Amino acid sequence: MITDGFLYLGVLLGLAACIVFVSQRGRSRFFRYVPGFVLMYLGTAALNTAGLFGESDSVESAGGSVQDALLPAMILLLLFKCNIRQIVKLGPKLLLTYAVTALSIVAGFVVAFLFLHGALDDGASKALGALAASWTGGSANMVAVQGVVHAPENVFGYALIVDTIVYSLWLLVMFGSVGFSERFNRWTKARTASFEQQEAAGEEERMDLTSLMTLIGFSLFVSAAATWIGQQLPEVGDVINSTTWTILIVSVLGLVIAITPFARAAGSSELAMIMLYLIIGIIASGSDFSSLTDAPLYLLVGVVVMVVHAGVMVVYAKLTRTELFSLAVASTANIGGVASAPVVASAYNRQLVPVGVLFALIGAFAGTFLGLTTVQILSVI
């Protein structure tokens, strides 16, 4: 049983290194549908269930301190590629499609919670809000919301399982949508306009010691400064607290940096992913698989959300004569994030890949706040 904080963090980093190595170097299609961070969660939770991590002040202090330090830094680094000027170039119709897609997911959580909240755990609204952040942004947004609302670890574990299963199935549906896009477009009477290829972001500089040291030092300094400022600002309700202020500060700063040459510094995405793996490991180390018998109920919540989401999008497409490409890529950008949206876009047309990337980058910024909004709505039901 591990009770030393340094050894505890070392085990988490070692596990993350093994998962990244196998997933990046392996040729199995398994890793195309099950992201490495999900394996990180499941692996760490399995170790905790087996009794590897013991309860001690050293472990709790090390995990809490590292998570508090890395979370704002990770969000800041992820937003370096979110160039707001390129997003505006998408045009009002595509931006509206993305907005409706994201809001339909939030509406799906509200509908599912209305019908099933009586059978769910006490902390379900917080865990489902974190899941909403993932399905309107990405894994980093999910972790950010968890850091604000502190959903119970076991319930958060259910949400991550739902995230993995539903995401994998939905991605298959989105790939399959290419085959009947013409019939769908005829039914909606869509005007299949030609999309302009969006300008790619400026080329990154070469990754070296200077870029890595600059990014590490700058992101952690901003994390510390934003945390201190957030602690000085007033709390508003259950959602807007010092952590919320901290995340808001680094999010806005990240958007500002994204339009400067500093955003081209090499290694920002890679460093952010390292931080994400460690944060997920820390969260998962408090999870226990012994109560997974409740997971099917949360899977039902996920199914209801997807049914509502799909229904709203079909109605929207019919009313606005929207082509299936926009719906599929916007939906994938929400549910799957930047890793899968460009892939689905390329299945329609390779020149449309930047649209998928920009959709996903919008979610990287908005997902956290949509997730917190979902928590607030569910908490009053």
Side-chain angles (χ1 to χ4, degrees), residues 183-203:
R183 282 176 290 173
F184 183 88
N185 293 340
R186 285 197 299 269
W187 176 71
T188 61
K189 299 179 181 179
R191 299 183 180 90
T192 53
S194 58
F195 298 96
E196 295 183 2
Q197 184 174 358
Q198 302 298 317
E199 297 178 8
E203 293 186 2

Side-chain angles (χ1 to χ4, degrees), residues 7-364:
L7 179 59
Y8 159 74
L9 293 175
V11 169
L12 294 182
L13 283 170
L15 177 60
C18 292
I19 291 173
V20 171
F21 181 85
V22 173
S23 62
Q24 296 296 319
R25 298 295 176 87
R27 298 181 179 180
S28 174
R29 293 185 178 181
F30 173 77
F31 297 107
R32 185 179 300 177
Y33 301 103
V34 181
F37 69 84
V38 173
L39 297 178
M40 181 67 186
Y41 188 98
L42 296 177
T44 307
L47 292 176
N48 184 59
T49 303
L52 181 64
F53 302 121
E55 294 184 5
S56 72
D57 292 339
S58 178
V59 168
E60 184 176 349
S61 175
S65 299
V66 170
Q67 181 176 345
D68 291 344
L70 294 187
L71 181 58
M74 176 194 69
I75 294 173
L76 177 73
L77 292 173
L78 283 175
L79 288 175
F80 273 22
K81 307 306 177 188
C82 189
N83 192 320
I84 196 69
R85 291 178 298 194
Q86 292 182 343
I87 290 173
V88 170
K89 291 180 181 179
L90 287 173
K93 180 67 177 295
L94 281 175
L95 292 176
L96 176 63
T97 300
Y98 177 85
V100 172
T101 304
L103 293 176
S104 70
I105 293 172
V106 174
F109 277 98
V110 174
V111 171
F113 197 75
L114 279 170
F115 286 101
L116 299 171
H117 72 277
L120 300 175
D121 299 273
D122 291 339
S125 62
K126 297 178 179 179
L128 293 179
L131 181 58
S134 176
W135 284 358
T136 54
S139 304
N141 304 94
M142 187 181 196
V143 171
V145 172
Q146 164 68 358
V148 173
V149 301
H150 301 294
E153 284 84 356
N154 62 323
V155 184
F156 182 73
Y158 303 151
L160 191 63
I161 293 172
V162 174
D163 188 17
T164 305
I165 295 174
V166 173
Y167 157 72
S168 301
L169 295 176
W170 193 250
L171 189 59
L172 292 176
V173 173
M174 292 299 97
F175 277 122
S177 68
V178 178
F180 57 86
S181 60
E182 291 185 5
R183 282 176 290 173
F184 183 88
N185 293 340
R186 285 197 299 269
W187 176 71
T188 61
K189 299 179 181 179
R191 299 183 180 90
T192 53
S194 58
F195 298 96
E196 295 183 2
Q197 184 174 358
Q198 302 298 317
E199 297 178 8
E203 293 186 2
E204 280 193 349
E205 300 170 357
R206 184 175 61 87
M207 188 185 300
D208 55 16
L209 177 62
T210 302
S211 64
L212 290 176
M213 194 66 221
T214 300
L215 289 171
I216 292 172
F218 178 72
S219 63
L220 291 177
F221 167 74
V222 170
S223 174
T227 299
W228 182 83
I229 295 172
Q231 292 171 348
Q232 314 307 312
L233 297 173
E235 295 188 3
V236 181
D238 297 328
V239 172
I240 301 178
N241 53 30
S242 59
T243 306
T244 312
W245 285 118
T246 300
I247 292 173
L248 179 60
I249 292 169
V250 296
S251 296
V252 172
L253 183 58
L255 285 179
V256 173
I257 292 174
I259 61 177
T260 69
F262 186 58
R264 294 198 298 270
S268 59
S269 298
E270 290 80 4
L271 283 175
M273 289 307 298
I274 293 172
M275 294 176 182
L276 177 60
Y277 270 92
L278 185 54
I279 292 171
I280 286 180
I282 292 170
I283 294 173
S285 66
S287 299
D288 193 327
F289 282 152
S290 61
S291 55
L292 275 182
T293 52
D294 293 335
L297 190 58
Y298 289 87
L299 283 172
L300 179 59
V301 172
V303 171
V304 172
V305 173
M306 288 296 98
V307 169
V308 173
H309 168 58
V312 171
M313 295 311 295
V314 169
V315 172
Y316 167 79
K318 184 64 175 178
L319 293 177
T320 60
R321 299 183 179 182
T322 301
E323 73 292 324
L324 186 56
F325 160 76
S326 298
L327 301 180
V329 176
S331 179
T332 308
N334 278 283
I335 305 296
V338 73
S340 50
V343 181
V344 172
S346 66
Y348 281 86
N349 189 324
R350 276 186 144 188
Q351 291 186 339
L352 302 174
V353 169
V355 177
V357 173
L358 293 177
F359 270 162
L361 290 175
I362 297 173

